[in-house]
């Protein structure tokens, strides 16, 4: 089998390895596609070396088929299409004990803390494996994990039908949040400076504006009779994005912090006081979010085909990462593992 390994900043290698047979309670998966996300890019840049060791196998967005079952595994069959929820909780920390295992304090995140999906054969605990509909294309299914992020974020905000929602940042997660919020019946406005990303959003029916020439706050106020948006999602990771997300909100509006900000940001706390705003953190997802993500992708509510910009062979993995670095011109990039050794 083949595996993509991290050797150091901007250095990825492809190695031949022996497939790991599944032990009791494990499943070996023949990986079909893996996606690349922002966390993978952080690893690629060397920003997570304190957590990710040398020769680590990256990747956590994936789809594939069951190749072998370990002893005691039930409910799955060889050849069945599946995806993996790549988070394994300790079950003992304070978060786990109070029912929030998705933000476990000692989380084993597959693809970061332990071997991930960028390998043609991946052996994982059976409890992390979720079946997929037989008729769901496996390239589309590789988007289930980021869609689960969006489902969790929209649920965290309690977005309701008819509410005005502003999504600041039109990368893959921002566009997916906009699509999920729209599916909930919200009126959605996406704020994104990159023309390609705005074009992708517009192509799937999401209104997107450039914050350069557009007074976003004035536009939102005009459409809401001066009230402001009910919910704002900050997905840009920028200081300007934080400011916009706060300024567009109505009285008792909800701000959901989705982006990972590498440094503290100034926040207009007076506006939080004056309008009684709420700030919500949103991290990862729960199993029910993944189940809902599978449903949305399978139903075509998430237009996966339009969001997949490129599908590259495994040999082009470095090209895939560098394409995503620039941001412009690509949305989701997948690696195709189907022809690699199992």
């Amino acid at each position: 089998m083949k595996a993509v390994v991290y050797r150091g900043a901007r250095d990825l290698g492809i190695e031949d390895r022996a497939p790991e047979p599944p032990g009791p309670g494990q499943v070996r998966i023949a990986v079909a596609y893996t996606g690349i996300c922002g966390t993978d890019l952080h690893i690629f840049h060397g920003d997570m070396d304190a957590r990710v060791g040398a020769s680590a196998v990256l990747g956590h967005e994936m789809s594939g088929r069951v190749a072998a079952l370990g002893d005691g595994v039930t409910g799955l069959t060889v050849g069945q299409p599946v995806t993996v929820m790549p988070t394994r909780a300790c079950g003992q920390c304070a978060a786990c004990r109070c029912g929030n295992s998705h933000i476990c304090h000692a989380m084993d995140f597959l693809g970061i803390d332990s071997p991930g999906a960028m390998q043609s054969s991946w052996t994982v605990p059976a409890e992390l494996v979720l079946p997929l509909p037989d008729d769901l294309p496996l390239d589309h299914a590789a988007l289930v994990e980021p869609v689960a992020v969006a489902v969790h974020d929209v649920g965290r905000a309690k977005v309701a039908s008819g509410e005005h929602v502003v999504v600041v940042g039109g990368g893959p997660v921002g566009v997916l949040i906009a699509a999920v919020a729209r599916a909930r019946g919200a009126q959605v406005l996406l704020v994104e400076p990159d023309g390609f990303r705005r074009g992708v959003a517009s192509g799937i029916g999401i209104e997107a504006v450039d914050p350069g020439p557009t007074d976003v706050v004035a536009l939102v106020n005009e459409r809401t009779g001066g009230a402001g948006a009910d919910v704002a999602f900050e997905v840009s990771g920028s200081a300007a994005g934080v400011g916009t997300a706060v300024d567009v909100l109505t009285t008792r509006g909800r701000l959901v912090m989705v982006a990972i900000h590498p440094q503290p940001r100034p926040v207009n706390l007076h506006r939080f006081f004056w309008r009684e705003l709420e700030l919500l953190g949103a991290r990862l997802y729960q199993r029910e979010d993944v189940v809902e993500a599978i449903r949305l992708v399978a139903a075509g509510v998430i237009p996966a085909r339009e969001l997949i910009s490129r599908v590259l062979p495994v040999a082009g993995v470095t090209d895939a990462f560098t394409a995503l670095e620039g941001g412009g011109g690509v949305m989701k990039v997948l690696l195709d593992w189907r022809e690699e050794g199992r």
Side-chain angles (χ1 to χ4, degrees):
M1 57 165 271
K2 302 287 187 183
V4 171
V5 297
Y6 173 72
R7 294 173 175 167
R10 306 190 62 81
D11 185 6
L12 299 174
I14 301 173
E15 293 184 359
D16 289 308
R17 294 186 173 186
E20 179 185 350
Q26 292 184 321
V27 177
R28 186 168 72 84
I29 300 171
V31 177
Y33 296 93
T34 53
I36 303 169
C37 82
T39 300
D40 297 321
L41 277 178
H42 284 304
I43 296 172
F44 180 64
H45 294 154
D47 297 335
M48 297 178 65
D49 283 358
R51 183 173 174 186
V52 179
S55 297
V57 178
L58 310 185
H60 55 271
E61 301 178 2
M62 62 78 63
S63 63
R65 293 186 181 275
V66 174
L69 301 172
D71 290 343
V73 177
T74 60
L76 296 169
T77 58
V78 172
Q80 185 175 17
V82 293
T83 190
V84 170
M85 187 177 78
T87 57
R88 195 175 191 189
C90 73
Q92 300 175 349
C93 70
C96 289
R97 291 198 306 270
C98 67
N100 294 315
S101 60
H102 68 293
I103 49 175
C104 169
H105 297 173
M107 177 72 72
D108 174 12
F109 198 108
L110 281 64
I112 301 175
D113 305 305
S114 57
M118 288 189 189
Q119 51 185 316
S120 54
S121 178
W122 192 25
T123 299
V124 299
E127 67 266 21
L128 304 183
V129 179
L130 288 88
L132 298 169
D134 289 334
D135 59 352
L136 175 59
L138 288 178
D139 55 345
H140 295 188
L143 270 62
V144 163
E145 195 271 351
V147 174
V149 172
V151 170
H152 183 77
D153 295 348
V154 171
R156 187 91 169 96
K158 295 183 172 62
V159 171
S161 179
E163 288 193 313
H164 287 269
V165 169
V166 176
V167 181
V168 182
V173 172
V175 170
L176 290 172
I177 288 172
V180 173
R182 182 181 60 178
R184 295 277 181 94
Q187 301 180 57
V188 180
L189 178 69
L190 182 72
V191 180
E192 170 55 49
D194 181 78
F196 171 80
R197 289 177 167 180
R198 290 199 309 275
V200 171
S202 298
I204 61 173
I206 295 170
E207 183 183 8
V209 298
D210 182 351
T214 305
D215 186 332
V216 176
V217 176
L219 177 61
V220 172
N221 284 337
E222 176 186 340
R223 294 185 176 180
T224 60
D230 300 287
V231 181
F233 294 90
E234 204 307 285
V235 202
S236 73
S238 68
V242 173
T244 298
V246 172
D247 290 346
V248 297
L249 285 171
T250 188
T251 300
R252 291 201 168 181
R254 292 101 72 196
L255 169 59
V256 183
M257 189 57 60
V258 179
I260 300 174
H261 288 258
Q263 58 192 20
R265 302 293 192 189
V267 178
N268 185 350
L269 293 180
H270 181 268
R271 191 169 182 86
F272 268 81
F273 156 78
W274 196 252
R275 292 202 167 191
E276 290 197 350
L277 302 181
E278 296 181 54
L279 174 61
L280 301 167
R283 177 188 168 206
L284 293 177
Y285 36 73
Q286 295 162 295
R287 190 178 182 90
E288 55 264 35
D289 298 319
V290 184
V291 171
E292 174 66 1
I294 292 171
R295 187 191 72 80
L296 292 175
V297 175
V301 174
I302 301 298
R305 187 175 305 280
E306 289 78 7
L307 298 178
I308 298 171
S309 304
R310 297 182 194 175
V311 179
L312 297 177
V314 174
V317 61
T318 299
D319 293 336
F321 273 79
T322 54
L324 286 166
E325 279 183 305
V330 294
M331 187 63 70
K332 289 301 297 183
V333 178
L334 305 183
L335 294 177
D336 185 348
W337 292 91
R338 294 172 300 165
E339 300 306 317
E340 302 300 328
R342 299 302 189 189

